[in-house]
Amino acid sequence: QVQLVESGGGLVQPGGSLRLSCAASRSTFGFSAMGWYRQAPGKGRELVAAITSAGNTNYANSVKGRFTVSRDNAKNMGYLQMNSLRPEDTAVYYCNARGLSGQDYWGQGTQVTVSS
């Protein structure tokens, strides 16, 4: 069983930055993609950003130019750098990893709150 543990969430003022980290319990070489989703109160879970094993990235329109997704397979880590944060970015952020057979793994989530 794969475990994903997120860290780096917290309270930040509008315009600020946070870096989320996702630590995997096994080699991330075996993940065809790693990504970040978020869920705001009263809303469904939405894709924020994802990166494939080839390094191709995909972003939600609302975060393009502000967020950067990356992965470090040598460290079994995934990252989400979030800049120019807005109140509407407030949500619980979840790390996701997709195995080579299509199975999805999820972290427990980390809260990001953007407020003055």
Side-chain angles (χ1 to χ4, degrees):
Q1 183 68 15
V2 175
Q3 291 186 329
L4 303 174
V5 179
E6 302 99 336
S7 61
L11 174 64
V12 64
Q13 292 186 342
S17 298
L18 283 175
R19 188 195 195 203
L20 304 184
S21 299
C22 174
S25 61
R26 69 160 173 84
S27 174
T28 56
F29 279 107
F31 297 145
S32 61
M34 294 186 73
W36 294 88
Y37 288 70
R38 68 186 180 187
Q39 187 165 17
K43 296 187 177 181
R45 191 173 296 191
E46 64 172 354
L47 174 67
V48 176
I51 182 168
T52 69
S53 56
N56 298 314
T57 57
N58 181 39
Y59 294 93
N61 287 335
S62 60
V63 307
K64 283 182 180 177
R66 301 189 297 123
F67 290 12
T68 302
V69 63
S70 62
R71 61 194 285 178
D72 187 338
N73 290 332
K75 296 182 179 179
N76 300 337
M77 296 290 294
Y79 304 99
L80 183 67
Q81 177 66 44
M82 306 186 293
N83 299 327
S84 301
L85 282 161
R86 304 168 181 169
E88 53 264 39
D89 295 317
T90 295
V92 177
Y93 284 70
Y94 297 90
C95 177
N96 168 268
R98 177 156 294 177
L100 296 177
S101 299
Q103 66 273 38
D104 278 319
Y105 304 101
W106 294 93
Q108 81 288 351
T110 185
Q111 176 71 45
V112 172
T113 302
V114 185
S115 175
S116 56

